[in-house]
Amino acid sequence: MSLDMLIPFGILLVLVIYLIYTRGKFEKSTVEIYEKKFDEWKKHSKIEETKESNKQLVGLVFKKDYKVTIELLDESARNSLEKGKFKVENLKDN
């Protein structure tokens, strides 16, 4: 290799090393910025837990002759029953 080709090759090698170093530094600083913003977001965000409603046994339904009787286990359901706010479902369909 002659001296004429050695100078451009050296410049190219230095340029590649410089670009690799600056890219690594840039990526590291970008990750640090996003981690810092994520930590700030976690501090200021409100995490709301959703409440899931579950079925609760509040009474039993009996049929004697042609009369239907509801026996309540929990008195909190009485108001809904008196207002007619209930839904009839067939367990055999589920």
Side-chain angles (χ1 to χ4, degrees):
M1 237 190 215
S2 67
L3 188 58
D4 294 334
M5 293 300 290
L6 193 59
I7 294 173
F9 181 74
I11 293 172
L12 182 63
L13 184 63
V14 169
L15 185 62
V16 167
I17 292 171
Y18 172 75
L19 290 175
I20 290 172
Y21 172 75
T22 55
R23 179 178 174 147
K25 187 176 172 184
F26 172 74
E27 288 176 354
K28 189 184 292 186
S29 68
T30 304
V31 168
E32 288 175 359
I33 289 170
Y34 278 106
E35 286 177 348
K36 189 168 123 181
K37 291 201 180 275
F38 181 63
D39 289 337
E40 289 176 11
W41 176 80
K42 285 194 292 188
K43 285 182 195 174
H44 299 295
S45 70
K46 295 180 182 177
I47 299 173
E48 297 179 10
E49 295 181 17
T50 57
K51 293 184 179 179
E52 294 183 18
S53 59
N54 297 322
K55 288 184 178 181
Q56 181 180 5
L57 180 64
V58 293
L60 301 171
V61 179
F62 297 102
K63 180 181 175 189
K64 186 176 182 182
D65 296 328
Y66 293 101
K67 188 172 182 178
V68 176
T69 306
I70 300 173
E71 294 181 8
L72 294 177
L73 301 172
D74 186 4
E75 288 293 320
S76 64
R78 180 178 295 278
N79 192 20
S80 295
L81 286 171
E82 289 173 351
K83 289 183 180 179
K85 293 183 178 181
F86 55 90
K87 180 178 168 185
V88 178
E89 292 182 0
N90 191 359
L91 289 177
K92 291 180 182 178
D93 294 339
N94 292 336

